[in-house]
């Protein structure tokens, strides 16, 4: 049975509720996202989703991993081959586990490119 968690009120509250390595990873990903143009962050589907002309990326802390996913992630695999495609749209995610560190420069590059793609190609959830 899955544990039902009450969604956080805000991205800040989401981070505040975390501890240890998961919080460190999420804080680093949030910092990179803000530095790369700060797409609008809100809580959707129980985790952080950033929007710029539609959804751009998600940051989701789970029990044993943190996911950093991009709606147009399949188009970002030339930048970061660890992005694994899956799900609807062109979604691809990177997984962080305990002991991993975030390459802030790489994360910023991915966010910048994902925002650029949404601006150029449009909302990834429309016309699918």
């Amino acid at each position: 049975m899955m544990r039902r968690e009450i969604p956080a009120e805000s991205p800040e509250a989401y981070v505040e509720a975390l501890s240890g390595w998961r919080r460190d990873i999420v804080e680093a990903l949030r910092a990179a996202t803000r530095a790369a143009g700060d797409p609008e962050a809100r809580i959707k589907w129980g985790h952080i989703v950033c929007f710029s002309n539609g959804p751009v990326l998600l940051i989701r802390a789970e029990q044993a991993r943190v996911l950093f996913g991009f709606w147009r992630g399949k188009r970002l695999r030339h930048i970061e081959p660890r992005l694994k495609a899956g799900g609807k749209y062109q979604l691809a995610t990177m997984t962080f586990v305990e002991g991993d560190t975030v390459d802030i420069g790489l994360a910023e590059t991915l966010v910048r490119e994902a925002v650029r793609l949404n601006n150029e190609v449009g909302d990834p959830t429309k016309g699918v």
Side-chain angles (χ1 to χ4, degrees), residues 43-119:
I43 298 297
K44 192 157 176 77
W45 305 297
H47 51 265
I48 297 170
V49 179
C50 294
F51 292 81
S52 180
N53 200 18
V56 176
L57 65 95
L58 64 88
I59 299 171
R60 183 167 84 212
E62 298 177 349
Q63 206 56 45
R65 64 185 186 169
V66 172
L67 296 178
F68 189 38
F70 296 89
W71 263 257
R72 295 196 183 280
K74 287 181 186 173
R75 295 189 185 204
L76 302 174
R77 295 188 67 217
H78 66 285
I79 299 170
E80 177 47 86
R82 288 178 299 172
L83 282 165
K84 299 278 183 276
K88 292 201 301 189
Y89 313 113
Q90 297 171 22
L91 200 65
T93 54
M94 268 176 84
T95 302
F96 293 90
V97 296
E98 191 166 5
D100 286 350
T101 55
V102 175
D103 177 335
I104 299 286
L106 173 66
E108 281 184 40
T109 299
L110 289 167
V111 173
R112 234 179 246 116
E113 184 62 11
V115 168
R116 188 192 69 73
L117 281 168
N118 269 21
N119 290 335

